């Protein structure tokens, strides 16, 4: 262990309780969509205490709507600010964005939680609460990493840009707003809950709606009608065949442990309005995964052309083709080259701290990494301490020792990536 690594580790041991206390405060402030302001105020206060250059602003909905990558169902973003803090380097080093979202999904039925969803309860080395793993724990890892560098009197050459953004859970308007505000860097790390795995690639996804038409009739003479529910079963099987076809093309070894790399999921089905009537309309809604190697538009076109082929299977669809609509949330796919310098740097620091080889895979879900990579021209890695399997679930938790371990890895990565100014620390 190098002297610098030993100093970072000792700093984390001495100050971890402060970081955990701040994480608990964040978790105890609900920050569901439209209610992020109070949590963001805590973040802004922390950044000012750290002496960073702080930028707080509310998203400009009208300007965002004009951007081709914009996606949100919200009419406005009043009282839902982004917060950015910049640790300015001395110059001559590479810059980095540390991006985390403050918004959390709703807690669901509280009866399914052992504690209040926003308790921040701590038991057996874990903290519980909505958003603690997705992804306030990762955000605190970022802050601890910066604080460790400051606390040891180190000065970096490159800038570190910490971003606490809104709207990730609904498509990334917060991160897009940082891009439009001019924030850009040589690379980025997003501490989403990866179980400490490194994700250089992130699949994209988008929501779709399909309307399947039938012909109404009395249930007693149902043979005179055409059931939209029965036709929708054909449509679902056809979509499942498309999923199989698309995934058969993926041979990237980063997906070897993922059973279905880019799923197509039907999440909502609504049809019929009377038990004694043949249903004449079914609406189904779902999510389509998008490979890091394709664009959103390419995936849309394949779905559209595939549904047109239904007429080959059933004559009904020749005159009554399903109506496909793209709506709601959308996440842009992202990808960083395996040989990118930040990949090597992060993996090297992981080995030093964890004493093991990092697991490198592709993300099974969408993140803001695609927006940073494509819209912001800032290649992004996703790596964080949260527990993938409990994100969005009741009794969501994070292992607290992973929060500090991730912070230690990220601190060493920042030093290596941005460069250490030996004349200042």
């Amino acid at each position: 262990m190098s002297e610098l690594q030993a100093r970072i580790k000792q700093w984390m041991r001495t100050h971890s309780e402060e970081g955990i206390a701040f994480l608990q405060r964040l978790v105890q402030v609900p920050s569901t969509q439209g209610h992020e302001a109070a949590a963001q105020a805590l973040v802004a206060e922390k950044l000012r205490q750290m002496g960073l250059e702080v930028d707080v602003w509310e998203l400009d909905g009208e300007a965002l709507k004009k951007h081709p990558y914009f996606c949100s169902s919200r009419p406005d973003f009043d009282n839902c600010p982004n917060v950015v803090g910049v640790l300015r380097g001395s110059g001559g080093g590479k810059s980095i964005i540390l991006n985390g979202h403050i918004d959390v999904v709703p807690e669901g039925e509280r009866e399914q939680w052992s504690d209040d969803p926003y308790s921040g309860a701590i038991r057996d080395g874990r903290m519980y609460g909505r958003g603690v793993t997705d992804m306030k724990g990762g955000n605190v890892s970022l802050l601890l990493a910066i604080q460790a560098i400051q606390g040891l009197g180190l000065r970096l050459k490159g800038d570190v840009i910490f971003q606490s953004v809104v709207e990730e859970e609904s498509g990334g308007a917060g991160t897009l707003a940082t891009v439009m505000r001019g924030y850009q860097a040589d690379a980025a790390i997003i501490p989403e809950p990866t179980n400490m795995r490194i994700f250089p690639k992130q699949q994209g996804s988008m929501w779709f709606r399909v309307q399947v038409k039938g012909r109404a009739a009395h249930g007693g003479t149902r043979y005179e009608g055409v059931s939209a529910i029965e036709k929708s079963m054909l449509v679902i099987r056809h979509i499942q065949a498309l999923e199989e076809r698309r995934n058969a093309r993926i041979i990237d070894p980063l997906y070897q442990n993922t059973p279905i790399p880019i799923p197509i999921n039907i999440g909502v089905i609504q049809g019929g309005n009377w038990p004694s009537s043949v249903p004449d309309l079914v609406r189904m809604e779902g999510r389509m995964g998008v490979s890091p190697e394709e664009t959103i538009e390419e995936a849309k076109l394949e779905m559209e052309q595939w549904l047109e082929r239904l007429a080959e299977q059933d004559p009904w669809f020749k005159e009554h083709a399903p109506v496909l609509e793209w709506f709601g949330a959308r996440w842009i796919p992202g990808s960083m080259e395996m040989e990118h310098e930040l990949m090597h740097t992060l993996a090297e620091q992981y080995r030093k701290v964890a004493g093991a080889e990092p697991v490198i895979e592709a993300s099974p879900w969408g993140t803001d990494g695609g927006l940073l990579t494509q819209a912001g021209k800032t290649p992004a890695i996703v790596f964080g301490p949260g527990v993938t399997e409990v994100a969005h679930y009741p009794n969501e938790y994070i292992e607290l020792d992973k929060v500090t371990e991730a912070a230690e890895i990220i601190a060493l990565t920042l030093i290596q990536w941005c460069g250490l100014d030996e004349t200042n620390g």
Side-chain angles (χ1 to χ4, degrees), residues 23 26-27 29 31 39 102 104 131-140:
L23 174 57
L26 276 183
V27 172
V29 178
S31 54
I102 198 69
V104 304
V132 68
T133 208
D134 185 17
M135 60 178 292
K136 292 178 179 178
N139 293 355
V140 169

Side-chain angles (χ1 to χ4, degrees), residues 1-287:
M1 181 184 297
S2 68
E3 179 186 353
L4 181 57
Q5 183 184 346
R7 293 173 65 195
I8 294 284
K9 184 178 291 293
Q10 183 57 45
W11 189 96
M12 290 294 172
R13 287 174 180 165
T14 306
H15 297 84
S16 62
E17 289 187 7
E18 300 169 23
I20 299 310
F22 183 67
L23 174 57
Q24 190 174 50
R25 289 181 67 196
L26 276 183
V27 172
Q28 289 170 345
V29 178
S31 54
T32 52
Q33 187 184 73
H35 305 282
E36 303 95 334
Q40 290 289 62
L42 286 179
V43 174
E45 176 189 19
K46 170 64 76 173
L47 296 176
R48 293 189 183 100
Q49 291 172 354
M50 292 166 59
L52 273 60
E53 299 175 14
V54 181
D55 184 12
V56 181
W57 78 98
E58 289 187 0
L59 281 59
D60 185 340
E62 293 304 314
L64 282 166
K65 289 174 186 177
K66 298 174 183 178
H67 197 287
Y69 285 150
F70 173 73
C71 170
S72 178
S73 58
R74 293 174 66 168
D76 60 64
F77 299 93
D78 293 346
N79 203 32
C80 300
N82 272 347
V83 178
V84 171
V86 180
L87 178 66
R88 195 68 64 185
S90 61
K94 294 185 291 293
S95 59
I96 193 165
I97 286 173
L98 304 177
N99 173 286
H101 65 85
I102 198 69
D103 56 310
V104 304
V105 298
E107 64 272 15
E109 293 186 5
R110 295 195 169 215
E111 293 76 12
Q112 297 187 37
W113 290 77
S114 299
D115 302 285
D116 183 281
Y118 301 103
S119 68
I122 298 176
R123 287 192 302 276
D124 301 323
R126 295 175 173 179
M127 184 182 294
Y128 292 82
R130 173 57 81 225
V132 68
T133 208
D134 185 17
M135 60 178 292
K136 292 178 179 178
N139 293 355
V140 169
S141 292
L142 300 179
L143 292 171
L144 281 171
I146 297 172
Q147 287 179 285
I149 291 169
Q150 292 178 307
L152 294 176
L154 304 176
R155 180 77 184 275
L156 303 180
K157 293 180 180 180
D159 294 344
V160 177
I161 304 166
F162 173 86
Q163 301 178 339
S164 180
V165 299
V166 299
E167 274 302 282
E168 188 276 342
E169 296 288 0
S170 299
T175 290
L176 181 60
T178 68
V179 171
M180 294 176 65
R181 200 164 177 87
Y183 288 107
Q184 190 175 19
D186 294 305
I189 296 175
I190 302 177
E192 289 276 11
T194 71
N195 294 0
M196 303 293 281
R197 294 170 292 175
I198 298 174
F199 292 166
K201 295 186 178 183
Q202 307 92 47
Q203 77 163 258
S205 64
M206 51 190 171
W207 291 357
F208 65 89
R209 181 182 292 121
V210 178
Q211 295 191 57
V212 183
K213 300 175 183 178
R215 184 169 60 234
H218 192 285
T221 54
R222 75 176 187 85
Y223 43 82
E224 294 180 354
V226 176
S227 170
I229 290 177
E230 294 177 11
K231 295 302 181 186
S232 71
M233 294 166 65
L234 295 175
V235 175
I236 290 173
R237 286 196 290 270
H238 192 62
I239 291 174
Q240 289 173 334
L242 175 61
E243 177 189 68
E244 184 175 351
R245 175 190 179 99
R246 283 170 53 77
N247 282 275
R249 297 197 299 254
I250 295 181
I251 58 175
D252 191 328
L254 294 183
Y255 279 111
Q256 64 182 353
N257 295 322
T258 305
I260 307 175
I262 47 172
I264 304 178
N265 177 68
I266 304 296
V268 177
I269 297 180
Q270 298 174 328
N273 52 29
W274 192 252
S276 292
S277 294
V278 175
D280 60 0
L281 183 65
V282 165
R283 294 183 180 88
M284 61 181 72
E285 296 177 353
R287 170 200 183 276

Side-chain angles (χ1 to χ4, degrees), residues 292-340:
E293 276 68 47
E294 67 181 340
T295 66
I296 289 282
E297 293 307 318
E298 288 170 342
K300 283 183 176 181
L301 181 61
E302 185 170 17
M303 171 73 89
E304 292 162 3
Q305 293 177 340
W306 186 255
L307 290 181
E308 290 173 359
R309 295 177 59 177
L310 275 164
E312 301 170 9
Q313 300 182 24
D314 188 325
W316 174 259
F317 294 116
K318 292 181 180 179
E319 299 295 330
H320 308 87
V323 178
L324 174 64
E325 175 189 355
W326 303 99
F327 79 104
R330 178 187 64 193
W331 288 265
I332 308 299
S335 181
M336 174 183 281
E337 294 295 329
M338 289 292 291
E339 297 304 313
H340 193 282

